[in-house]
């Protein structure tokens, strides 16, 4: 097996592994949401939402993006195979998550009266918010353990950690919500956080580091770059949240609360369900790219290879969404949400462009170009808001979908030309061919979804899906020998159970 084929196989295995974990997490979340809805009702769901909103707000401000930025530093150190450097970097991460976690706990405790007042209209929930402040420390410590697992590419342990964590959260919630109803929310959130920490500690404790001496002054000196990059990533997250808030507010002002609900339903489908492919890819792609960030040629090759595998997985999924979105909306929501169909259809085209630009934008993070990264994100958020407002004003919800596609068309060109100028980046011929073929199929699916509304839509949609899948499987087979890959996996499993 060639080195190139081995690289493709490694990418495919990691994407499949974390794609499965993401899917499992979504299923668990759906089950948990259903149980909460039955046992607690709308009021209980509202209380949980208000608690979580307050916690997430403080967490986003105080965790300085370490759970994302620190992966780059650990991966870069791991790429050198220098055990001293790796040990120092891991120690820096572990100390910084303690410091930022305690900061989150302190800030949360101090602003608890304000959060109670603004969230619930009174001060009755001050003490519950103070109790929940401990979860910010636990969650940050847990995030630090997962950073080490991800950065050192202990991917199977990281997958197990994530799967066991969400399962434990579900199992804890059922008896508490059943016996205590709304009063069980705070202990459930607290114990879920404790379980997540224990599980992450259990897997990260296996990692053996050598003993190194590091003062707290040295800790901040070594951790300066990850703090700066983390702050930039936090600002990016705040900008995205602010942009979404402005969009929702404008839709409510012009179209009313029901239109906001339709937009939210489509947004969740795109970011949560379709976006799981990108989340799965990022878990392995980010540390792998970070470990070779000094070599532009290797970075270019990694981006193109990851892009090819990602397009082959994402494009067939998008054609399925375009063909069967009315059925998906009926299953996940109800027929009242069919009005979101055209918005989601246009956004599907934008998702493929989003993926192409997203794999390039990781270069800025992997290379710790914090100023470039934040300027890039500010520009993208500004024209996304402008497009959203203009799109909704002229074409309603469909206009938001069109705006989504336009935004990522501009963003793709923006990040591509920046990467070309700074890192001599360009796409490989094989990626361009793969991407354009699948883009054409997604465009055809979009035309069918927009112009045909009877049984013919499903017939044509199914044909396009089959073509997309066949092309993807053929391309995957050329790169990783998918048939032999599956046979090897079967043989591996059989040998483990003694066949």
């Amino acid at each position: 097996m060639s080195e190139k084929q081995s690289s493709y196989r490694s990418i495919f295995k990691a994407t499949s592994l974390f794609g499965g974990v993401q899917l499992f997490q979504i299923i668990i979340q759906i089950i948990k949401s259903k149980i909460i809805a039955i046992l607690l009702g709308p009021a209980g769901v509202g209380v949980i939402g208000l608690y979580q909103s307050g916690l997430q707000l403080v967490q986003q401000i105080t965790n300085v993006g370490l759970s994302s930025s620190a992966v780059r530093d650990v991966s870069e150190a791991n790429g050198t195979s220098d055990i001293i450097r790796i040990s120092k970097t891991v120690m820096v991460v572990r100390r910084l998550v303690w410091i930022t976690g305690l900061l989150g706990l302190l800030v949360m405790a101090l602003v608890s009266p304000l959060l109670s007042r603004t969230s619930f209209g009174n001060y009755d929930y001050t003490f519950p918010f103070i109790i929940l402040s401990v979860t910010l420390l636990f969650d940050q410590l847990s995030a630090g353990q997962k950073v080490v697992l991800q950065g050192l590419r202990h991917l199977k342990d990281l997958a197990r950690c994530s799967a066991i964590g969400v399962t434990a959260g579900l199992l804890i919630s059922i008896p508490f919500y059943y016996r205590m109803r709304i009063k069980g929310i705070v202990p459930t959130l607290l114990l879920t956080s404790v379980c997540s920490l224990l599980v992450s500690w259990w897997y990260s404790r296996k990692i053996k580091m050598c003993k190194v001496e590091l003062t707290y002054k040295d800790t901040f000196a070594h951790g300066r770059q990850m703090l700066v990059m983390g702050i930039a990533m936090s600002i990016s997250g705040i900008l995205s949240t602010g942009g979404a808030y402005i969009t929702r507010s404008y839709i409510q002002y012009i179209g009313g609360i029901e239109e906001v609900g339709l937009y939210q339903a489509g947004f969740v489908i795109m970011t949560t369900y379709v976006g799981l492919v990108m989340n799965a890819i990022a878990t392995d792609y980010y540390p792998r790219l970070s470990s070779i960030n000094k070599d532009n040629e290797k970075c270019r090759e990694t981006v193109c290879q990851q892009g090819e595998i990602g397009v082959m997985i994402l494009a067939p999924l998008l054609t399925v969404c375009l063909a069967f979105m009315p059925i998906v909306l009926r299953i996940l929501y109800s027929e009242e949400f069919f009005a979101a169909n055209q918005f989601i259809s246009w956004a599907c085209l934008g998702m493929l462009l989003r993926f192409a630009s997203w794999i390039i934008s990781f270069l800025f993070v992997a290379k710790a170009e914090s100023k470039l990264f934040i300027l890039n994100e500010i520009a993208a958020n500004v024209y996304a808001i402008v497009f959203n407002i203009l799109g909704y004003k002229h074409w309603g919800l469909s206009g938001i979908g069109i705006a989504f596609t336009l935004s990522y068309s501009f963003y793709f060109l923006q990040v591509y030309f920046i990467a070309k100028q700074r890192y001599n980046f360009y796409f490989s011929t094989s990626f361009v061919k793969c991407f354009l073929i699948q883009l054409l199929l997604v465009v055809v699916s979009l035309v069918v979804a927009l112009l045909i509304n009877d049984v013919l839509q499903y017939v044509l949609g199914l044909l396009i899906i089959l073509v997309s899948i066949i092309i993807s499987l053929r391309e995957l087979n050329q790169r990783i020998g998918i048939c032999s890959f599956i046979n090897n996996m079967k043989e591996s499993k059989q040998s483990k159970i003694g066949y």
Side-chain angles (χ1 to χ4, degrees), residues 110-312:
L110 290 173
V111 301
S112 287
L114 178 62
L115 288 173
S116 177
R117 178 67 181 173
T118 55
S119 300
F120 297 97
N122 54 57
Y123 294 105
D124 296 347
Y125 293 83
T126 300
F127 187 63
F129 268 121
I130 291 173
I131 293 174
L132 290 174
S133 66
V134 183
T135 66
L136 295 188
L137 172 60
F138 293 162
D139 289 347
Q140 188 71 339
L141 294 177
S142 179
Q145 309 285 19
K146 290 176 182 177
V147 161
V148 175
L149 289 171
Q150 186 178 357
L152 298 180
R153 300 194 71 193
H154 289 234
L155 300 182
K156 288 184 180 179
D157 284 343
L158 181 60
R160 293 188 189 103
C161 183
S162 300
I164 293 170
V166 295
T167 305
L170 173 65
L171 296 177
I172 288 168
S173 65
I174 295 172
F176 275 94
Y177 290 145
Y178 180 77
R179 297 285 298 179
M180 300 174 67
R181 305 292 167 166
I182 289 180
K183 290 182 179 178
I185 292 173
V186 172
T188 297
L189 293 176
L190 182 60
L191 285 174
T192 299
S193 184
V194 171
C195 277
S196 179
L197 175 59
L198 291 174
V199 172
S200 63
W201 170 80
W202 177 262
Y203 284 103
S204 68
R205 74 187 174 87
K206 301 176 185 178
I207 298 170
K208 302 301 180 185
M209 297 286 117
C210 69
K211 191 173 182 181
V212 291
E213 295 294 329
L214 206 65
T215 65
Y216 273 90
K217 183 179 179 181
D218 292 334
T219 298
F220 284 105
H222 283 285
R224 181 181 175 279
Q225 190 176 62
M226 68 177 76
L227 287 171
V228 170
M229 193 68 228
I231 291 169
M233 296 179 83
S234 290
I235 292 170
S236 173
I238 293 168
L239 287 171
S240 296
T241 303
Y245 177 77
I246 291 170
T247 300
R248 289 187 184 94
S249 299
Y250 183 76
I251 293 171
Q252 182 175 355
Y253 177 73
I254 300 295
I257 194 68
E258 288 188 5
E259 289 277 286
V260 176
L262 294 171
Y263 167 76
Q264 182 64 17
F267 185 79
V268 168
I269 289 172
M270 283 295 100
T271 57
T272 303
Y273 301 116
V274 179
L276 72 86
V277 174
M278 294 167 72
N279 292 332
I281 287 171
T283 308
D284 172 61
Y285 174 53
Y286 179 27
R288 191 156 37 84
L289 193 63
S290 298
S291 67
I292 55 170
N293 69 77
K294 297 289 191 295
D295 189 326
N296 286 340
E297 183 57 32
K298 283 186 178 179
C299 282
R300 189 190 70 80
E301 189 175 297
T302 299
V303 171
C304 292
Q305 289 178 349
Q306 184 66 76
E308 289 168 37
I309 298 294
V311 166
M312 291 172 219

Side-chain angles (χ1 to χ4, degrees), residues 26 33 42 68 118 157 183 191 238 243 276 288 304 336 357 384 411 427 456 472 485 495:
I26 288 172
S33 298
S68 298
T118 55
D157 284 343
K183 290 182 179 178
L191 285 174
I238 293 168
L276 72 86
R288 191 156 37 84
C304 292
E336 293 178 298
S357 53
Y411 187 63
F427 278 121
L456 184 60
S472 287
F485 176 72
S495 65

Side-chain angles (χ1 to χ4, degrees), residues 407-426:
S407 296
Y408 279 104
S409 299
F410 274 80
Y411 187 63
F412 172 73
L413 293 173
Q414 177 178 306
V415 295
Y416 180 80
F417 285 114
I418 291 173
K420 185 176 178 61
Q421 288 295 318
R422 293 184 75 89
Y423 318 125
N424 193 32
F425 176 83
Y426 56 92

